[in-house]
Amino acid sequence: MEHEGDVLDAVGRSTVADRYALDGEPGGAPDARPRRARDTTLDRWVRVRTLDAADARAAEFLDAARRAAMVSDPHVPRVLDAGTDQRPGGGTVYVVEEDVEGRTLTDLLRQGPLQAPAVRSLVGEVATALDAAARRGLHHTRLTPDSVVLGPDGVVRVVGLGLEAALEKDPPVVSAARATVLANRADAVGLVALVYAGLTGRWPAAAGIAAHRTLPAAPSGDGHPVPPKDIRPDVPNDLDTLCVVTFGPHEDGPRDPSELALQLAPWSMAVWADVLRDMRGERATREVRQRLASREVVPDEEPPVPFAAPASTGRPPQSDSRLVLAIVAVCVVVGLVVALWQLSRIGVPGELSGQPAATSSAAPSTPAAESPAAPAPSTTPPPAAPAPVPLRVAGVTAIDPEGDGTSPGGVERTVDGDPASSWSSERYTSAGFGGLKSGIGLLVDLGADVDVTSVVLTDAGEGGRVELRNAPTGGYEGSVPVAESAAGGVATLTPLTPVRTRTVLLWVTQLPTTDGQARLTVSELQVLGTPVP
């Protein structure tokens, strides 16, 4: 049945704001559930949520969308548009989000429960995203396995951040500070529910947990979900205890997403390598099929060719033969004349050059000077390029362009030649900087232009990623990556060709894990190359 506010496009699809054509059957009351739609202006897929403008939650829904649009985080889908669609018979408010590609946690659990490292990494990434959003006043409060999407690019995204919290029907009437505490606790409990679901493949039913009907319900005892170990004996003790105390009668467990992230750390997304490889293969296959489908269709049967009588293969008429022979004879005579004329001019340099030939009587009595002989090719090999040597470092600076501009002191210990001394960055909740920034760096000043052939970085941790960037402007802005490597242990970053520069930047995009903590701990930094003559 068509909703009274719906307007249909040319192919019978419901449209929102005369721009977003909803996919699927037309009609249905606006209920804020995300629906896939086609942006007819920019020709792209999006997700659209609609809510009746008369709903008491409509204003808060739009306000949450505007605040969510201010969040720039790869873990949070972008809000692209929001507004009110006025129609005869009633209006609707709408929010448009980018279309998220990937598999939800519900999809990933169709093959059965996940291994503990996979659960740690997936929920840990969600926790860091929620922690970053909470600092901007945004919460989710209604997490389910459908809220978590693992993309083919390896990024875990949280769907509905801010919007789901605005849809709560009976929010408690409390102060703003108390509301923040309750929202943080609701997100922490929801994250633990995701841990429980990932380990057992079942959704726990407890106070403060959103309903979810796709996964089977977890068994309960004494009014609380049974411990995960009762369902799956190989569950790690710390994760089992986390679920038991959080769902227990005393409301223990983490109070906010950042606390849970610390309990799950460290983790690594490397455990998802096989799944991501399959997802990328499926995406490539889908793109190829779409390109093939867009090609011009070639008919199975070629159209019939009109019949024409075949050309005769008999002997040509005698008049035609005589004409051909005459043409060939003329060509032969012309060719002989040209050839004889060229032969007659050989040995007559004056005529060939257009200048009068010099006679023997006009020749000078002294012999003409002979032209100098061409030098013999040298057999001496070119000098070998100088071998790279350790270069003097004039100074090193720790930079944090997306932070507060300050970094721990003692960074000069990275170039003091003493492996026993080291410098450490600040500690973060995850290798991805807790979702707060894209990276931190060490800016190395070499005092003058040199040809850099490699940089050796010694870090006490494991894992992580680091880039070597040419930084001609003396900072991250304008720098260009020239090499990349793992950050932990001894990392050697070697450009394809030597880089002539005065300043290089070691830019860490993922932190190594040192003593169970996500941070950078550098004991030695050495730059190899050759001075510029």
Side-chain angles (χ1 to χ4, degrees):
M1 178 178 179
E2 183 182 338
H3 186 258
E4 62 180 355
D6 279 348
V7 173
L8 304 183
D9 66 0
V11 294
R13 296 175 298 184
S14 300
T15 61
V16 175
D18 296 326
R19 173 173 176 175
Y20 306 104
L22 300 177
D23 197 25
E25 293 295 328
D31 56 3
R33 289 182 300 174
R35 293 184 60 181
R36 201 161 187 250
R38 192 71 179 177
D39 183 346
T40 57
T41 300
L42 298 180
D43 192 24
R44 61 180 177 180
W45 289 105
V46 295
R47 294 278 177 175
V48 177
R49 297 171 183 256
T50 58
L51 190 65
D52 198 307
D55 194 300
R57 303 167 295 173
E60 179 63 23
F61 184 59
L62 282 179
D63 181 65
R66 296 186 182 102
R67 286 185 287 120
M70 302 298 293
V71 176
S72 178
D73 189 316
H75 300 284
V76 180
R78 293 178 299 151
V79 174
L80 305 174
D81 191 9
T84 303
D85 188 14
Q86 296 290 354
R87 299 289 171 87
T92 58
V93 295
Y94 64 90
V95 175
V96 182
E97 303 169 279
E98 66 175 325
D99 189 32
V100 178
E101 180 185 7
R103 298 180 186 177
T104 65
L105 178 56
T106 304
D107 297 330
L108 296 171
L109 290 173
R110 297 189 193 281
Q111 304 298 324
L114 306 176
Q115 296 299 317
V119 175
R120 288 184 191 274
S121 60
L122 195 71
V123 181
E125 292 291 314
V126 177
T128 57
L130 292 181
D131 178 43
R135 299 172 189 271
R136 299 172 173 86
L138 288 172
H139 303 85
H140 196 291
T141 73
R142 300 172 67 183
L143 286 170
T144 69
D146 291 335
S147 307
V148 180
V149 182
L150 175 62
D153 54 358
V155 176
V156 180
R157 293 175 173 85
V158 186
V159 179
L161 185 62
L163 301 177
E164 292 291 345
L167 294 173
E168 190 173 355
K169 291 187 176 180
D170 298 309
V173 181
V174 295
S175 65
R178 180 59 180 168
T180 299
V181 171
L182 293 177
N184 279 329
R185 171 63 179 178
D187 280 341
V189 173
L191 289 166
V192 177
L194 295 178
V195 172
Y196 191 104
L199 295 171
T200 65
R202 299 171 182 268
W203 187 245
I209 300 178
H212 181 67
R213 296 181 176 83
T214 304
L215 295 180
S220 60
D222 298 329
H224 306 287
V226 301
K229 270 186 174 293
D230 290 0
I231 302 174
R232 183 178 171 187
D234 63 340
V235 169
N237 292 332
D238 63 323
L239 297 183
D240 183 71
T241 302
L242 173 66
C243 295
V244 171
V245 300
T246 303
F247 301 145
H250 305 295
E251 295 188 359
D252 291 329
R255 314 306 302 178
D256 55 49
S258 64
E259 189 175 337
L260 177 66
L262 288 175
Q263 296 184 31
L264 294 177
W267 63 78
S268 171
M269 291 299 292
V271 297
W272 293 99
D274 292 339
V275 175
L276 295 176
R277 189 179 302 111
D278 292 342
M279 293 171 64
R280 290 166 185 150
E282 292 172 359
R283 180 173 62 180
T285 301
R286 185 168 57 252
E287 291 174 351
V288 169
R289 288 177 176 173
Q290 290 173 351
R291 287 197 296 268
L292 292 176
S294 63
R295 290 184 178 181
E296 181 181 357
V297 178
V298 179
D300 293 337
E301 296 183 359
E302 295 292 337
V305 179
F307 175 79
S312 174
T313 59
R315 185 174 179 178
Q318 189 175 6
S319 58
D320 293 345
S321 300
R322 290 177 179 176
L323 177 62
V324 171
L325 291 175
I327 294 173
V328 171
V330 171
C331 292
V332 170
V333 171
V334 172
L336 288 173
V337 171
V338 172
L340 291 174
W341 179 72
Q342 292 290 344
L343 289 174
S344 66
R345 297 170 63 86
I346 294 177
V348 189
E351 294 181 3
L352 290 176
S353 61
Q355 300 294 332
T359 62
S360 57
S361 59
S365 58
T366 58
E370 296 183 0
S371 60
S378 173
T379 58
T380 304
V389 296
L391 298 173
R392 186 184 69 86
V393 174
V396 58
T397 307
I399 65 171
D400 185 6
E402 297 171 299
D404 57 5
T406 62
S407 297
V411 70
E412 66 277 358
R413 292 194 290 268
T414 60
V415 292
D416 61 1
D418 182 8
S421 65
S422 63
W423 169 85
S424 296
S425 70
E426 295 179 344
R427 179 175 58 85
Y428 294 85
T429 58
S430 71
F433 303 93
L436 301 176
K437 59 193 69 174
S438 61
I440 59 174
L442 294 175
L443 189 66
V444 183
D445 182 8
L446 300 171
D449 282 348
V450 294
D451 289 333
V452 177
T453 56
S454 64
V455 176
V456 181
L457 180 72
T458 304
D459 185 273
E462 297 179 352
R465 300 296 297 177
V466 60
E467 296 176 351
L468 174 62
R469 304 177 73 95
N470 180 11
T473 60
Y476 180 79
E477 291 295 331
S479 63
V480 179
V482 294
E484 185 182 18
S485 171
V490 179
T492 302
L493 298 102
T494 304
L496 293 177
T497 58
V499 177
R500 178 161 295 185
T501 184
R502 170 176 174 159
T503 311
V504 294
L505 173 63
L506 290 166
W507 184 250
V508 179
T509 57
Q510 282 191 321
L511 289 167
T513 301
T514 306
D515 298 330
Q517 297 179 338
R519 64 181 181 183
L520 184 66
T521 302
V522 180
S523 59
E524 284 296 309
L525 191 161
Q526 187 179 54
V527 182
L528 300 177
T530 56
V532 175

